[in-house]
Every structure is written in C-alpha cells, then in structure tokens.
C-alpha cells in the first residue's frame, strides 16, 4: 500500500464555543495563505450570515494550508449535535482529527457524539486543550475527563495513546506543556505532520465518494469529496453510482483543489486529494463517482435517524401572501425537497393535506435553522409545535431519549431538578468543582426538552448553559402535561390600539405594540390564567362630553415580550401555529374563531364521556 506523504487530511471537532473556528483562523493566518496587506477579519470559516450571527458552525467547510511542503486539508465541522449529519458525511474524507476541548468546561455531551463518529471511522486523534489563558482553567480535571471519554469511546488501543497540546486560539499560540510560553501555532502544525497518517493510495481507476455539494450559477452542480483511487482530469469519462445502483454517464468539466479558502483549478488531481469537480448534473451526497472503465461503488455514508418532527404548511392566515415572495404549495414543496440534497439528516414527507408537509430533523435548532434560512430567502409559511418521533419495536412504543448536561451554580439546583422531574428526567450524575459551580447530567425523553430552553433561561436568569445529545430509543414513558398558561387571543381584525393593549396587559403579558396589524385568532400575549382569553386589542376609548382632569394623561404600556423564532416554536401548544414570513413572526391558533375553538373543545369533552 502506497501513501501520499505530501498531504494530511484532518477534521476539527469541538463543542459549540470552544474556539474551533478561531483556531482555524490562526492556522490560516500564520501559514501565510493570505497576503500581508489582505484584510480577512475573524471567524473566517463562518461565511454564512446565520453562522456569524449565532456564533456557531452550521455547515461543514473545506480549507487548506501548506506547511513545510505538506498540504494540510482542514475540514471544519459543526459543534452542535443537531447538525450531526454534517459531521457524519465529511469525517470519511479525513485520516485524523483535532479534538478541541475548553480548559474550563472540558468535554461536553455533544463533543462525545462527534468524537464517537471520528473514532468509529478509525481517525487518529490529537487532543487540543484550548483557552489556556483563562484564569479559572482546570487543566488536570479536563485532562482526566478527556481520558475517561476516550476510554469509553475508543475502538482500538492505539486511539488511547493520543498526543496532547495546549493552545490559546485567540492569541494564536500552541505549546506542548502547560505553563510554557508560546509564540505561534507551529507546534500544532508540527504535531499534525508527525501524528496524522498520510492518506493511503490504492491502485486502479478513478474512484471518489461525494461528501458535499455546492452550486455555481455558471458551472452548475459541484461535487466535493476525497479521491480514494486513481486520478481525475477535465474531460475524463466517469459514471455516478447512486444508492440504488443506478449508473449515469458524465464527462468531468473542471477539477479544483483547495488552498486557503479558495478553490484552485488544476489540470489533474490524484488519490488523497480533496477535490471539487463539475459536469455532473444529478449526483447526490453519498454517490460514488468512478471511472467508466470500472464503475465500482464505495460504501455509502451512514446518517443517523431524525428524532423530532413538525409540519410545514402554506400560510393560511388572513395575512397570507402579503409579505413573502414564495407562498404557494408548489414553491414550498420544491424548496423542502431541494434541501434534502445537502441536508442529509433531514426527512420530508407529504401528507393527506396537499398544503402541509412533515419535516423531520435532529432537534429544535436543526429545524429552526432551516425555517430561518427559508424565511430569509423570501418564503412564507406556517409551522406546528415540534414532536418527538416515536416508533414501534417488538410491539412496544419507543421514544428517543437524550443526555442533558447543565452547567449552573448551586443556587439553581433545586428549581432545575423540580422542573426536569416534571419532564420525566432522571438525574444521572452531578459534579461540583468546589467553587459553587455544578454540572448536572440527566437522561430525559426528547419530548421533555421541547419548550424547556425558554423556561430554563428564565429560571436561571440566563446564568446557566444546557446541552443535549441523542442516546437511544427507550420505552414510552407517557405524555407530559403542559404547564404553560393560556394565551391572549385577538377577537377582532384591525390595528392594535394603546387603549386595547392596556386592557390586555391587565390580563397578562403582551407580545405586540400599538400599531401592529392583528387578525382574529392571532395570539397577542400570554394569559395569567390557564385558559385562553379572547380580547379585543383594537378597542378604542369611547368619547364622551364629560371632561376629566386626568383625561390628557397618556396611557403607559409595559414593553411587549419579544419572542425569537426558537422561543416562538417553544412557546406554542399543539393547537397553535407559528406564522413565518420574511418580515414577521406571528403566533396564531389553528382554529381562528372563538366559536370554532369552543365547538371543538365541546366535541372533545363529549367523546371523553
């Protein structure tokens, strides 16, 4: 077996906010990929607007640097388990991985998920403990917990013998021992060259597995992946082999490799290279591109099943079609099915109602990012409350269960334990660092996490962090009763008036301000009672001939509660929807009129009797 000693392919994996993208920035800048006078900024790899806003990596991306004559291909992967499909489809391109761990938080549940994927693929790990410049870093404890994690997940003895480095990605330094004074990131690059094995080269005709797709308005569809065998050049005759074994014949248009963040057009690429090729119209992620002389398929990428579902439907509110460019069933359906080409962990199904589709994903954030992306593209639609996906195994109803980790302080232990016990959570472990900082670990059904994040942030005053990771399917534990109060529901269509909103605020918290257009059935606030309250927020004060000394005093309203998209999805009940448009996020009842809702409630009571 031959090797390409001039190449190293690595995947960088880490939990959200552990400094992964900042470390990639340092590697790109110090490898002199950019000109000295070139302005590149920070978080270079987070090119997507949503990624920059949220400070997380959503899409896997490729970059490359050259160090001591060796090309290091860097695969940046998401740190959130909801985007684990991105990880599963790209780790096959790598021969090794950098596991980045925060010097205070240590390995997190989602780190565990991504590391398991890498070790199962046989990647050689390098552990990097980042943020060593933090005053409260706990290196000894973090190293111990990282070793415990490897003992649990390693598939071979060699994976337990991992090199350990210490970095401050923000300062752009790496050292081999704690306490050493660093000056640059070069010790990490040296370690990559020494520890990460070069790609193996198989003899034979061209063969490549498609791990990612891109699109260019001039070049068309671009297939990205690692060449496993042979060489490829423009105008080569190739075939694509899909999951059903169907073969399509193509001619390669152009071949690109990576340097920095750019694609470089090359005359030829060979086994071990990560390339992007054009000229293949119908290729999909997981397909094999091979020489037409030997059309052999590589093992397909295995993607885990989704755990949560919700419905996407055409906007049926009285304001439907006012604010979006794409509002029809055909446009919504085409967009959802197009998403399946690159979002491998997503599933879309038609329903009996041709205006509604079931969309399944890895979690609330996974689905919320899709909703926000479509909204920014100009789509207008409505979505339902997420539900955990259940299945029948050997005659028993099974539901997904997750591992929930909460980093908090000792003052919030009581309220969090009480809240989670009502959501069928079971405390598995509790760690105390001796300074009042606590980590709680629970096993909780996925349905118990729906709507929990908002209540969690409120209960802990935003001072705690929660993370979850899918574990397995277990026997259904029964329904969870919603503890949410009722809603304030608009009883009229019109424009919200200060006088009407003042009356509404006497019955709960409002979500809108004066001048907001409303319609009957639109949710305008949260009631202080358990039941919904219809209220006329368009009501004006009656004019009389009687003058009062206080008549000119302006009504002062409490500022409305503003719900983000995720908060709105968490907030709604099963009989409610979130109306999403490029300009607005509205909450509404599925049945808009109060008479319809009363009639349905009455028929439900009769059926129970």
């Amino acid at each position: 077996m031959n090797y390409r000693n001039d190449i190293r392919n690595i995947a960088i994996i880490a939990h959200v906010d552990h400094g992964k993208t900042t470390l990639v920035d340092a590697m790109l800048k110090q490898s002199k990929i950019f000109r000295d006078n070139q302005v590149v900024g920070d978080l270079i790899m987070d090119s997507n607007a949503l990624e920059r806003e949220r400070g997380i990596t959503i899409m896997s991306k490729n970059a490359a640097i050259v160090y001591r004559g060796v090309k290091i291909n860097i695969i940046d992967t998401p740190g959130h388990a909801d985007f684990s499909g991105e990880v599963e489809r790209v780790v096959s391109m790598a021969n090794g991985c950098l596991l980045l761990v925060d010097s205070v938080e240590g390995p997190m549940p989602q780190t565990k998920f991504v590391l398991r994927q890498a070790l199962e693929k046989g990647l050689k790990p390098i552990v990097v403990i980042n943020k060593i410049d933090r005053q409260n870093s706990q290196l000894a404890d973090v190293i111990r917990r990282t070793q415990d994690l490897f003992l649990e997940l390693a598939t071979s003895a060699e994976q337990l013998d991992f090199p350990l480095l210490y970095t401050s990605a923000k300062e752009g330094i790496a050292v081999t021992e704690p306490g050493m004074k660093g000056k640059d990131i070069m010790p990490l690059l040296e370690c990559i060259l020494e520890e990460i094995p070069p790609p193996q080269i198989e003899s034979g005709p061209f063969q490549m597995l498609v791990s990612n797709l891109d699109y260019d308005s001039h070049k068309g569809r671009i297939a990205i992946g690692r060449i496993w065998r042979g060489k490829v050049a423009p105008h080569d005759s190739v075939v694509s082999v899909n999951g059903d074994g169907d073969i399509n014949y193509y001619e390669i248009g152009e071949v690109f490799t990576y340097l920095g963040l750019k694609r470089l057009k090359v005359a030829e690429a060979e086994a071990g290279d990560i390339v992007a090729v054009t000229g293949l119209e119908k290729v999909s992620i997981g397909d094999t591109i091979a020489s037409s002389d030997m059309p052999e398929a590589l093992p397909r990428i295995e993607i885990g099943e989704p755990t949560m579902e919700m419905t996407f439907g055409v906007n049926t509110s009285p304001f439907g079609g006012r604010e979006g460019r794409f509002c029809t069933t055909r446009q919504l359906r085409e967009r959802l099915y197009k998403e399946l080409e690159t979002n491998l962990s997503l599933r879309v199904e038609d329903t009996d109602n041709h205006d509604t589709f079931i969309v399944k994903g890895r979690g609330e954030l996974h689905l919320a990012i899709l909703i926000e992306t479509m909204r920014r593209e100009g789509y207008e639609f409505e979505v339902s409350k997420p539900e955990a996906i259940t299945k029948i195994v050997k005659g028993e109803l099974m539901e997904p269960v997750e591992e929930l980790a909460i980093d908090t302080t000792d003052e919030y232990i009581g309220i969090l334990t009480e809240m989670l016990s009502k959501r069928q959570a079971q405390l598995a472990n509790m760690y105390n660092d001796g300074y009042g900082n606590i980590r709680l670990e629970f096993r909780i059904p996925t349905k118990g996490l729906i709507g929990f994040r908002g209540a969690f942030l409120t209960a802990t005053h935003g001072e705690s962090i929660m993370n979850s990771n899918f574990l397995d399917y277990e026997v259904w534990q029964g329904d969870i009763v919603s503890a949410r109060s009722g809603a304030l529901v608009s009883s009229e269509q019109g424009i919200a008036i200060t006088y009407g909103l003042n009356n509404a605020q006497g019955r709960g918290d409002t979500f809108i301000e004066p001048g907001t257009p409303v319609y009957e059935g639109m949710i305008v606030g949260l009631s202080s009672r358990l039941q919904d309250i219809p209220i006329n927020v368009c009501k004006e004060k009656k004019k009389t001939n009687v003058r009062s000394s206080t008549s000119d005093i302006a009504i002062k309203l409490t500022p409305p509660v503003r719900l983000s998209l995720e908060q709105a999805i968490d907030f709604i009940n099963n009989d409610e929807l979130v109306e999403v448009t490029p300009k607005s996020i509205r909450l509404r009842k599925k049945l808009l009129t109060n008479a319809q809702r009363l009639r349905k409630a009455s028929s439900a009571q009769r059926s129970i009797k």
Side-chain angles (χ1 to χ4, degrees):
M1 186 71 71
N2 296 321
Y3 294 88
R4 284 278 306 269
N5 289 312
D6 60 335
I7 285 183
R8 300 292 187 275
N9 297 321
I10 61 166
I12 299 188
I13 56 181
H15 181 70
V16 175
D17 201 34
H18 279 198
K20 170 171 51 64
T21 305
T22 307
L23 183 67
V24 176
D25 283 0
M27 295 170 69
L28 289 169
K29 291 175 180 177
Q30 294 189 30
S31 61
K32 303 299 182 181
I33 288 295
F34 306 110
R35 300 189 311 272
D36 292 338
N37 63 343
Q38 186 173 351
V39 179
V40 293
D42 297 323
L43 303 178
I44 305 168
M45 292 290 278
D46 284 348
S47 54
N48 182 293
L50 271 176
E51 291 179 322
R52 287 187 168 271
E53 288 176 20
R54 295 169 182 263
I56 61 175
T57 301
I58 297 172
M59 303 293 293
S60 296
K61 303 175 199 66
N62 297 81
I65 62 175
V66 176
Y67 178 69
R68 284 177 40 194
V70 177
K71 185 176 185 180
I72 302 175
N73 286 307
I74 303 170
I75 306 163
D76 189 17
T77 64
H80 200 289
D82 279 22
F83 308 109
S84 53
E86 293 289 313
V87 178
E88 290 166 330
R89 66 182 173 84
V90 297
V91 291
S92 60
M93 292 193 288
N95 300 105
C97 64
L98 297 185
L99 174 65
L100 205 64
V101 180
D102 189 283
S103 65
V104 176
E105 296 180 356
M108 303 291 281
Q110 296 176 33
T111 312
K112 179 178 178 179
F113 173 84
V114 182
L115 181 61
R116 179 187 287 115
Q117 297 290 325
L119 296 182
E120 287 178 353
K121 293 289 190 299
L123 303 191
K124 169 69 176 180
I126 296 175
V127 175
V128 178
I129 298 181
N130 192 31
K131 303 186 183 181
I132 56 173
D133 52 322
R134 294 179 65 173
Q135 292 182 350
N136 57 342
S137 61
Q138 305 171 40
L139 295 181
D141 182 59
V142 169
I143 293 171
R144 177 186 59 79
R145 287 162 52 196
T146 303
Q147 290 171 337
D148 291 344
L149 184 62
F150 271 85
L151 283 170
E152 180 183 349
L153 301 180
T155 58
S156 66
E158 290 78 11
Q159 291 174 338
L160 297 175
D161 184 21
F162 52 83
L164 187 60
L165 284 91
Y166 306 86
T167 64
S168 172
K170 189 175 180 180
E171 297 179 3
I173 60 172
V175 295
T176 55
E177 296 291 339
M180 290 179 61
K181 188 174 181 179
K183 59 179 181 178
D184 52 35
I185 207 74
M186 300 311 162
L188 175 59
L189 301 183
E190 290 285 351
C191 185
I192 291 173
L193 263 56
E194 293 175 8
E195 299 291 340
I196 301 299
Q200 295 180 351
I201 305 303
E202 295 184 29
S203 59
F206 171 66
Q207 192 180 41
M208 162 185 162
L209 183 68
V210 180
S211 299
N212 204 351
L213 290 177
D214 199 356
Y215 183 82
D216 184 273
S217 56
H218 299 290
K219 299 180 176 64
R221 183 167 294 194
I222 301 173
I224 302 169
R226 173 181 159 189
I227 301 177
W228 289 91
R229 191 176 68 192
K231 300 178 180 180
V232 65
H235 309 298
D236 282 356
S237 296
V238 297
V239 298
S240 68
V241 186
N242 64 19
D244 298 325
D246 299 332
I247 294 177
N248 292 304
Y249 290 83
Y250 299 102
E251 180 182 300
I252 295 292
E254 295 176 309
V255 180
F256 300 88
T257 58
Y258 289 87
L259 185 62
L261 303 179
K262 296 181 179 179
R263 294 187 185 130
L264 297 181
K265 187 176 179 180
V266 295
E268 184 181 75
E270 56 186 283
D273 282 322
I274 293 178
V275 298
V277 297
T278 66
L280 297 93
E281 297 177 4
K282 297 181 180 180
V283 71
S284 300
I285 294 175
D287 289 357
T288 298
I289 304 174
S291 169
S292 55
D293 297 332
M294 190 181 293
E296 296 177 345
L298 289 162
R300 291 189 68 82
I301 300 170
E302 296 182 4
I303 301 294
E305 296 181 5
T307 59
M308 196 171 288
E309 67 181 16
M310 63 196 306
T311 62
F312 283 49
V314 174
N315 187 7
T316 57
S317 84
F319 294 169
R322 292 187 182 184
E323 299 176 353
R325 291 189 296 127
F326 308 111
C327 312
T328 66
T329 303
R330 178 184 60 80
Q331 291 168 332
L332 179 62
R333 188 179 192 278
E334 286 179 355
R335 177 62 181 84
L336 289 174
Y337 278 93
K338 182 182 178 183
E339 184 70 19
L340 297 180
E341 295 179 3
T342 55
N343 200 336
L344 292 195
S345 51
L346 199 74
R347 305 285 187 274
V348 178
E349 297 176 3
D350 294 331
T351 65
D352 295 336
N353 181 353
H354 70 280
D355 289 336
T356 304
F357 308 92
I358 296 176
V359 180
K360 301 178 180 181
R362 284 289 179 87
E364 282 183 279
L365 183 60
H366 184 205
L367 295 171
I369 290 294
L370 171 62
I371 295 169
E372 181 65 29
T373 302
M374 291 175 60
R375 176 190 176 213
R376 296 186 181 199
E377 292 172 358
Y379 286 84
E380 181 177 320
F381 52 99
E382 58 191 24
V383 298
S384 69
K385 183 179 181 67
E387 296 180 357
I389 299 174
T390 58
K391 58 184 181 181
I392 304 294
V393 179
K394 296 180 179 180
E396 285 193 294
L397 182 63
M398 310 289 282
E399 65 176 338
V401 175
E402 302 194 28
E403 178 184 18
L404 172 66
I406 294 177
D407 289 303
T408 185
T409 55
D410 48 14
E411 63 180 302
Y412 299 122
I413 294 177
I415 188 170
L416 289 175
T417 304
E418 181 182 354
M419 290 170 60
L420 288 165
S421 64
K422 296 177 180 177
R423 295 172 175 266
Q424 300 178 353
Q426 298 176 352
L427 182 64
N429 285 301
M430 182 169 71
Y431 304 98
N432 190 329
D433 67 353
Y435 299 98
N437 299 312
I438 308 293
R439 172 172 291 182
L440 303 171
E441 294 183 358
F442 295 87
R443 289 178 68 92
I444 182 171
T446 298
K447 65 175 184 285
L449 289 174
I450 298 174
F452 174 68
R453 187 176 296 274
F456 164 78
L457 292 174
T458 301
T460 61
H461 304 96
E463 298 176 0
S464 302
I465 301 172
M466 60 170 281
N467 295 283
S468 62
N469 177 42
F470 171 72
L471 288 176
D472 202 353
Y473 274 83
E474 295 183 359
V475 177
W476 174 263
Q477 299 181 32
D479 293 319
I480 296 175
V481 179
S482 174
R484 200 203 80 183
S485 300
L488 299 178
V489 185
S490 176
S491 60
E492 303 289 337
Q493 182 165 330
I495 304 296
I497 303 296
T498 301
Y499 183 76
L501 285 173
N502 186 53
N503 291 336
Q505 289 191 347
R507 302 189 179 191
D509 299 320
T510 54
F511 297 156
I512 62 172
E513 59 187 13
T516 303
V518 298
Y519 54 81
E520 184 180 6
M522 178 174 159
I523 297 173
V524 296
L526 178 64
S527 170
S528 56
R529 301 186 179 184
L530 292 177
Q531 67 270 24
D532 296 337
I533 300 178
I535 193 159
N536 183 8
V537 293
C538 307
K539 184 179 181 180
E540 298 186 47
K541 185 177 181 181
K542 293 182 179 180
K543 297 179 180 179
T544 68
N545 289 327
V546 179
R547 295 190 177 185
S548 169
S549 60
T550 59
S551 62
D552 294 330
I553 298 177
I555 298 173
K556 293 184 179 180
L557 295 175
T558 304
V561 177
R562 299 290 189 185
L563 298 181
S564 66
L565 176 61
E566 287 97 327
Q567 290 171 332
I569 293 171
D570 281 348
F571 175 84
I572 58 174
N573 279 331
N574 292 328
D575 64 336
E576 298 164 352
L577 298 169
V578 178
E579 178 186 347
V580 181
T581 78
K583 297 181 180 179
S584 308
I585 295 173
R586 304 185 185 96
L587 308 180
R588 53 160 289 187
K589 289 289 184 179
K590 287 183 178 179
L591 301 176
L592 293 179
T593 68
N594 190 43
Q596 289 175 321
R597 296 193 294 273
L598 290 174
R599 195 177 301 119
K600 183 175 182 180
S602 177
S603 62
Q605 288 180 349
R606 285 198 300 269
S607 64
I608 292 174
K609 294 178 180 177

